[in-house]
Amino acid sequence: MKISLLLRQYIWLVNALNSQRGLSFAELQDHWLRSDLSEGQPLSRATFNRHKDAIEDIFGLYVVCDRSNGYRYRIGNRRVLSEDSLQTWMLSTLTVNQLLHEACALQERILIEPVLADNELLHLIIRAMKTNHRVHITYQKYNTAEAKEHDVEPLCLKLFRQRWYLLGRFDDDFMAVFAIDRMVEVEIRPDTFTPNPDFSPADYFDEYFGVITDQRQPLEHVVLRFKGYQRHYIDDLPLHHSQRLIHTTDAYDDYEYRLRITPDFVYHLLSMGATVEVREPKWLKQQVVKEMRQALRQYVGK
């Protein structure tokens, strides 16, 4: 049996059991036999138990049997599915891949966005992270004539806006973010490093909008006013985990944030045009106005 088929079965089982009520084994069997994955063959108890173990090992989800509710099986820690974790992202990605696999006949009617990354380089970096080896990176920035070489400790990978980024630490404890698609070459070095058990990649990016980080920027209280259709998008897809609704009317919604303001955050606000208004801090409002005026000057009189 191919690994890809096994993964599809794991995904199917997670989705089937992802409800508070759960399913009895007979109900699960009925669902299984009506799926394309079964190929008309029943799901044995032994296979079911192996799949349960694999799902817990891969996704961190465990299946429980609720004896008080008619011996129904369900995901015992469904809260994990709402967390922003690698397992959740992987489960979501594999679920979509399975749906696309089942819809091959519709391939011309399903459009997806590409992720900019060299899979071979990504594989090398992940291998170095697993074994705690330093990496030698040949890196070509935009608008630079020559590539530069860096030796860093690969601390974490972050996916942001269709791009993979590596957070690397230098010998002097300085950290920098590298875009994988700007790497010309990656070499795993023979020397290893000891990861700091107190360092949390999630905490490192916690106070930023995206992948640009700058500790010199103070932690700011930001208030944004959203109007029109943007109100609904922001409610469904928050700009930052600190987002909180503080005021609402028929015409607009005000949200507050707590983050360090970096250029990628400013440019994202500009991309939303007149549907967003910066209320606080004052200097950010002035910065957005300045950027808008500079953009307008490129079009006035043309």
Side-chain angles (χ1 to χ4, degrees):
M1 181 182 290
K2 295 182 179 179
I3 296 298
S4 59
L5 180 57
L6 272 175
L7 281 173
R8 290 170 58 200
Q9 292 179 359
Y10 300 158
I11 300 301
W12 179 89
L13 188 57
V14 169
N15 290 326
L17 300 178
N18 185 23
S19 71
Q20 190 63 41
R21 182 173 182 270
L23 295 172
S24 67
F25 191 77
E27 291 170 334
L28 182 65
Q29 188 73 266
D30 181 62
H31 283 291
W32 169 256
L33 289 172
R34 285 189 280 111
S35 75
D36 294 336
L37 290 173
S38 71
E39 298 181 344
Q41 299 299 315
L43 181 67
S44 70
R45 287 274 185 180
T47 299
F48 175 62
N49 290 330
R50 286 196 299 269
H51 284 10
K52 285 196 305 177
D53 294 340
I55 288 170
E56 183 171 357
D57 184 53
I58 297 172
F59 303 115
L61 298 169
Y62 61 85
V63 178
V64 297
C65 179
D66 190 350
R67 297 182 179 182
S68 64
N69 189 27
Y71 289 85
R72 293 181 177 276
Y73 294 92
R74 57 180 174 80
I75 303 298
N77 54 340
R78 294 177 62 214
R79 59 175 178 74
V80 172
L81 296 173
S82 62
E83 296 176 352
D84 184 14
S85 64
L86 175 61
Q87 287 95 332
T88 304
W89 174 83
M90 184 167 60
L91 180 62
S92 176
T93 301
L94 290 171
T95 299
V96 172
N97 285 342
Q98 178 171 319
L99 291 173
L100 293 177
H101 178 82
E102 295 171 356
C104 285
L106 301 176
Q107 59 182 327
E108 294 182 359
R109 295 164 58 188
I110 300 177
L111 308 179
I112 59 175
E113 295 182 338
V115 175
L116 298 179
D118 185 313
N119 288 334
E120 183 178 351
L121 297 183
L122 198 60
H123 173 73
L124 285 172
I125 292 170
I126 291 175
R127 184 149 57 104
M129 289 171 61
K130 290 174 64 177
T131 58
N132 294 328
H133 278 79
R134 294 171 62 87
V135 291
H136 182 81
I137 301 171
T138 304
Y139 196 72
Q140 179 79 53
K141 284 186 176 181
Y142 286 120
N143 301 322
T144 56
E146 296 182 1
K148 292 187 177 181
E149 299 185 3
H150 308 278
D151 281 340
V152 297
E153 300 171 2
L155 299 182
C156 82
L157 286 167
K158 181 178 175 69
L159 181 61
F160 182 70
R161 306 242 169 145
Q162 300 172 247
R163 274 195 165 117
W164 281 104
Y165 295 87
L166 169 70
L167 175 63
R169 191 201 320 262
F170 292 82
D171 286 328
D172 58 2
D173 212 32
F174 174 77
M175 287 184 280
V177 177
F178 302 89
I180 304 297
D181 61 289
R182 301 310 303 162
M183 294 180 181
V184 179
E185 187 177 3
V186 173
E187 178 186 351
I188 299 178
R189 292 182 53 83
D191 50 317
T192 61
F193 67 97
T194 303
N196 180 358
D198 297 324
F199 176 74
S200 167
D203 289 344
Y204 180 82
F205 287 103
D206 183 72
E207 298 172 345
Y208 299 99
F209 167 70
V211 292
I212 297 179
T213 63
D214 189 350
Q215 286 288 333
R216 296 171 299 180
Q217 293 295 327
L219 197 58
E220 302 255 16
H221 176 252
V222 178
V223 176
L224 303 178
R225 175 167 293 177
F226 295 96
K227 310 167 187 177
Y229 68 88
Q230 197 65 248
R231 303 167 65 182
H232 308 294
Y233 282 110
I234 292 301
D235 187 49
D236 290 337
L237 296 171
L239 288 182
H240 188 256
H241 67 84
S242 64
Q243 177 172 301
R244 188 172 73 90
L245 179 66
I246 57 174
H247 185 65
T248 183
T249 70
D250 291 338
Y252 60 82
D253 290 337
D254 287 346
Y255 287 90
E256 69 174 1
Y257 303 83
R258 189 78 172 163
L259 74 168
R260 299 180 192 273
I261 299 171
T262 48
D264 52 354
F265 180 64
V266 177
Y267 293 145
H268 185 71
L269 296 180
L270 289 167
S271 72
M272 290 186 283
T275 63
V276 63
E277 176 190 348
V278 177
R279 305 291 292 177
E280 298 178 30
K282 184 177 179 179
W283 75 264
L284 176 59
K285 184 172 185 175
Q286 293 171 339
Q287 177 67 24
V288 170
V289 170
K290 178 183 176 181
E291 295 286 348
M292 286 182 170
R293 284 175 176 166
Q294 289 178 344
L296 185 60
R297 280 198 291 268
Q298 298 183 81
Y299 295 94
V300 173
K302 293 186 180 180

